Amino acid sequence: MTYVIAEPCIGTKDASCVDVCPVDCIHPGPDAPEHETTEMLYIDPVECIDCGACEPVCPVTAIFPDFDVPEEWEHYTAINADYFA
């Protein structure tokens, strides 16, 4: 299992999730040069340790376990993985 960031993050990019991630798998962080030009944040499915620390701090409820992504946003599972490809 991994966590997935979905559509509600677009345009928000609140970095609360980045701050609590113990393995730094959410990118681009607020200090990254591409943070301003990227439309949302992404979780690296290889680096994610499934701790769930990111989910409750997301102010727009954009983070879901991969098995619980709402149907209309299921394609964000691939979008997150593709960002790191």
Side-chain angles (χ1 to χ4, degrees):
M1 179 183 78
T2 189
Y3 281 79
V4 175
I5 298 178
E7 187 174 296
C9 185
I10 293 176
T12 302
K13 295 188 294 187
D14 180 90
S16 299
C17 58
V18 175
D19 295 338
V20 300
C21 181
V23 294
D24 192 31
C25 71
I26 304 171
H27 300 281
D31 296 333
E34 64 274 15
H35 181 78
E36 290 302 317
T37 59
T38 303
E39 83 175 336
M40 61 181 278
L41 301 178
Y42 305 90
I43 295 176
D44 186 333
V46 174
E47 291 183 16
C48 180
I49 60 170
D50 311 323
C51 70
C54 57
E55 186 179 14
V57 299
C58 180
V60 294
T61 317
I63 302 175
F64 304 90
D66 63 356
F67 64 84
D68 202 24
V69 177
E71 186 176 335
E72 69 268 23
W73 296 330
E74 285 180 351
H75 62 286
Y76 281 91
T77 301
I79 290 171
N80 277 250
D82 290 347
Y83 180 80
F84 298 97

